[in-house]
């Protein structure tokens, strides 16, 4: 379980940083919205991500606490605090799912090269993190509940509904490292 906790810690601290960048990007759009619809739309996304930040502020130290536990017996379904950790991790799996969707929605608004590149990179990382968290939690939940069924599995029954849409191409590895060149834009 220690290895999984290390991965969760990395993912959720990375996510926290990405959310902070994202809401800083949304703030001027909300303040300078051209109408109430635009203001309300982005304000709603902003508030959801702000709530996630407050949940992550509790979850990350909880993960750290269990990372530092000496006894494996503390990772037991009879330990109320460990149960709380599992509940919080399952909730944040869904929060990560929503974050990917929020980034997709923002990509329709932020079409300039600098912001769209940043959003696509955050989206790619968050999507990969979501897939990893989903698989890890499935295995962990099955250890404690043999009849575990992912309550969101129906979304992906026929295809991965969070897979990058064709209108939002993924950032290629070469673009992440090198940036854009004249040739890559043509």
């Amino acid at each position: 379980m220690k290895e999984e906790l290390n991965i969760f810690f990395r993912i959720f601290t990375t996510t926290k940083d990405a959310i902070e960048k994202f809401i800083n990007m949304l703030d001027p759009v909300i303040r300078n919205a051209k109408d109430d619809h635009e203001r309300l739309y982005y304000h709603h996304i902003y508030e959801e991500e702000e709530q996630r930040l407050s949940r992550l502020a509790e979850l990350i130290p909880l993960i750290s606490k269990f990372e530092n536990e000496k006894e494996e017996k503390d990772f037991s379904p009879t330990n109320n605090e460990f149960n709380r950790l599992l509940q919080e991790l399952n909730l944040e799996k869904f929060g990560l799912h929503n974050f990917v969707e929020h980034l997709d929605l923002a990509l329709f608004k932020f079409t300039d090269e600098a912001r769209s590149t940043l959003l696509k990179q955050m989206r790619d990382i968050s999507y990969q993190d979501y897939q990893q968290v989903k698989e890890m939690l499935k295995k962990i939940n099955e250890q404690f509940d043999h009849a575990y069924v992912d309550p969101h599995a129906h979304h992906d029954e026929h295809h991965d509904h969070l897979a990058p849409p064709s209108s939002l191409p993924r950032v290629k590895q070469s673009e992440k490292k090198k940036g854009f060149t004249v040739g890559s834009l043509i």
Side-chain angles (χ1 to χ4, degrees), residues 41-101:
Y41 179 83
Y42 288 104
H43 187 261
H44 176 76
I45 292 171
Y46 184 99
E47 280 186 332
E48 281 189 11
E49 295 306 333
E50 198 174 47
Q51 287 175 355
R52 284 202 58 226
L53 282 176
S54 65
R55 288 195 314 263
L56 288 171
E58 291 183 28
L59 175 61
I60 292 169
L62 189 57
I63 293 171
S64 288
K65 178 184 185 287
F66 277 94
E67 274 184 306
N68 296 323
E69 290 291 328
K70 304 277 189 253
E71 301 288 327
E72 286 289 323
K73 67 177 173 58
D74 294 326
F75 304 125
S76 160
T78 59
N79 179 338
N80 287 338
E81 199 166 27
F82 183 67
N83 277 335
R84 180 174 164 242
L85 173 66
L86 291 178
Q87 289 172 345
E88 295 291 334
L89 288 168
N90 280 291
L91 179 61
E92 283 313 305
K93 175 189 75 165
F94 187 65
L96 198 50
H97 168 277
N98 281 351
F99 186 52
V100 172
E101 288 184 338

Side-chain angles (χ1 to χ4, degrees), residues 15-40:
T15 300
K16 180 181 175 290
D17 293 340
I19 292 170
E20 289 168 347
K21 288 177 187 168
F22 182 57
I23 65 174
N24 286 335
M25 197 181 291
L26 292 179
D27 188 51
V29 173
I30 295 165
R31 280 187 279 113
N32 301 314
K34 66 180 184 263
D35 57 31
D36 284 341
H37 176 264
E38 182 180 41
R39 182 190 53 74
L40 183 60

